[in-house]
Each structure stands twice: as C-alpha cells, then as structure tokens.
Amino acid sequence: MTEPSAHRVAGKRAFVTGAAGGLGAAIARMLARHGANVFLTDIDEAGVRAVADEINRERGRQVAWSAAQDVRDEERWHALLAEANEAMGGLSVLVNNAGIGSLGTVEQIELKEWRRVMSVNVESIMLGCKHALPLLRAHQPASIVNISSLAAFKVGPDYTAYNTSKAAVAMLTKSVAIDCTRQKIDVRCNSIHPAFIRTGIVAPFFDALGEEEATRKLTHGIPMHRLGEPDDVAYAVLYLASDESRYVTAAEMVIDGGACAV
C-alpha cells in the first residue's frame, strides 16, 4: 500500500469512471489515500462496489461511494453527478477513465464497431465534461483529467478506431480547457497518455505468450524496456487533480517509458 506523505488532495471530491479495476481503481485508491472523497462508477456494479468498500476499510471511514454506469447514457450522467454532488457535498475533480480497445484496419472494421468505440471513448468524455462543468464551476479550483493513450500519437494500422478515438480525446481536452480559460473559470482540463500498463487489458498477451515473450512484444519500442504500473498513471492523476498543477491546463502528459522520443 502506498502511504500518503501529505494530503495532496485534501478536501477534493472526485468522480472517477471505469473504476472497477485497472487504472480506474488505482486512481481512486490514490486520490483517497491523499485526502479526497471519491465517487466510483463502472458498468461492473459488483466490481466497483468492491473497490469502494476496500477504500473505505482502508481509510477507516466512508470516503468512497459507488454506482453502476454505462458512460454512453446521458441521463445516467445527469443522475450520477447529482448523486455524487449530494453524497460528497460537491464536485471538484472529474476523471474520465472508462474506455475500450478495438482491433481492425480501416477496411476491416465494421461501422457498428467504429460507433461503439467512439461512443465509449469519445462521446462519454464529452458528456462527462458537459454535465460536470456546472458542478466543477461551483467548486473552483477544479480539475478534469481525461485518460487517453500513447495511441493518440503512435499510429498502429490495426487499431484504426482506437487510435482515432484517443487522438480525439486529446483535442477534446484542449477544447474544454481553452473554453474554461475563456470563461475565466478556474477549471483545468488535461489528458494523460500512457503506453502499455500492467492491467487486465494486457493479461491476454501474458496468458497466450507467457511472461517473457509478452513483455518483449509489449515493450518493443519502449526505451525503459518495461511495462508501466497502474500507480505510474495514478500519481499523474494525483498531480493534475491537486492544486500543485494550478498553472497546467490543455496539457498532454505522456507516461510511456520514453516511447514517444524514439
């Protein structure tokens, strides 16, 4: 367990999507350990409830709440943001983490799959930003953190929809950030772009290839020659959620072991 050295986000109230496991769970745990209240959502209701219960046991009091959410559902966004606002007494951080992968070249991918990826990876973030902003505006200084991917910058022809969706997240983030500055409100918006992180998403590679070969393939082109860990991303979210980053907005934080440099 990572012990907090200081309450870096004390008093912050964060809404985290895709929090039943992987990056979302790590982000929620990190924010809670550093003083935030956290409202966790995921399409996996039992899974996200288990993470919230674990956080509450660890902190020794209720600092986490959970609910089922399909991030494509606009009405559910309305309902859960209102619920989070009531439960935590406001909202000052939104972490749009929920997302899906997809394989297929432009000739192979079906329109139905393309639309599924765009709705989960892009439209959901637009909905989250759109409907959270009134609450964030009321609890400035506030922060939006959108989890994108190194795939926004490093093209793989077999990942047409995924690459496109993650690049869209980067530009959507900048658009929201600059709109907030134009309104003269203290709500920042930044994106995080990880390379492969050791989560359930890469588990099938290890199951099929074994530890050594899977690591070799997944870290090809990464100068540090290793996968990232969930906390590598969670610490970046912690920084962007905190007031330490008050002068950071419309930024792309790349967490890739040096991959973008080669």
Side-chain angles (χ1 to χ4, degrees):
M1 183 184 83
T2 304
E3 290 293 341
S5 56
H7 292 299
R8 295 171 62 187
V9 285
K12 299 292 186 184
R13 290 150 287 188
F15 189 104
V16 184
T17 68
L23 292 183
I27 290 164
R29 292 185 189 105
M30 183 69 71
L31 293 173
R33 286 169 185 162
H34 285 267
N37 286 347
V38 289
F39 194 99
L40 287 58
T41 76
D42 199 285
I43 201 164
D44 177 359
E45 184 173 12
V48 77
R49 185 188 308 118
V51 175
D53 289 346
E54 173 198 330
I55 290 170
N56 288 327
R57 284 194 300 272
E58 181 183 300
R59 305 319 307 157
R61 58 190 177 87
Q62 184 164 21
V63 300
W65 294 259
S66 68
Q69 181 183 24
D70 181 340
V71 290
R72 299 170 294 183
D73 184 339
E74 185 170 19
E75 290 307 311
R76 191 65 173 153
W77 270 109
H78 279 294
L80 289 183
L81 287 168
E83 185 178 331
N85 187 58
E86 171 115 8
M88 298 189 294
L91 185 72
S92 49
V93 178
L94 170 66
V95 183
N96 283 306
N97 168 73
I100 57 174
S102 180
L103 279 171
T105 68
V106 70
E107 290 182 290
Q108 293 167 340
I109 194 165
E110 298 291 336
L111 181 58
K112 181 179 179 181
E113 173 66 2
W114 173 272
R115 288 175 173 167
R116 184 179 78 96
V117 173
M118 294 302 159
S119 65
V120 174
N121 289 3
V122 184
E123 288 180 14
S124 74
I125 292 180
M126 180 276 290
L127 291 171
C129 293
K130 176 182 177 67
H131 297 302
L133 267 169
L135 300 176
L136 298 171
R137 187 184 287 110
H139 294 91
Q140 302 173 51
S143 175
I144 299 170
V145 184
N146 295 327
I147 306 300
S148 179
S149 169
L150 183 63
F153 314 121
K154 300 281 274 190
V155 176
D158 292 323
Y159 297 88
T160 301
Y162 186 73
N163 282 137
T164 304
S165 70
K166 292 304 184 179
V169 170
M171 189 54 67
L172 173 59
T173 298
K174 291 179 183 296
S175 180
V176 172
I178 300 308
D179 183 44
C180 289
T181 65
R182 182 176 60 180
Q183 295 184 55
K184 295 182 171 58
I185 59 174
D186 195 356
V187 181
R188 297 172 297 103
C189 188
N190 297 285
S191 57
I192 292 179
H193 301 262
F196 286 116
I197 305 296
R198 194 180 291 274
T199 65
I201 291 176
V202 300
F205 289 95
F206 287 91
D207 293 341
L209 302 173
E211 179 78 21
E212 184 176 347
E213 181 62 12
T215 300
R216 187 187 70 79
K217 283 185 175 293
L218 291 172
T219 60
H220 177 71
I222 297 179
M224 291 183 74
H225 303 295
R226 67 173 178 85
L227 296 179
E229 299 296 333
D231 274 359
D232 293 327
V233 177
Y235 274 115
V237 174
L238 176 63
Y239 168 68
L240 292 173
S242 78
D243 291 343
E244 297 163 14
S245 57
R246 285 284 297 273
Y247 199 52
V248 180
T249 197
E252 298 161 346
M253 184 173 287
V254 177
I255 303 174
D256 68 347
C260 263
V262 296

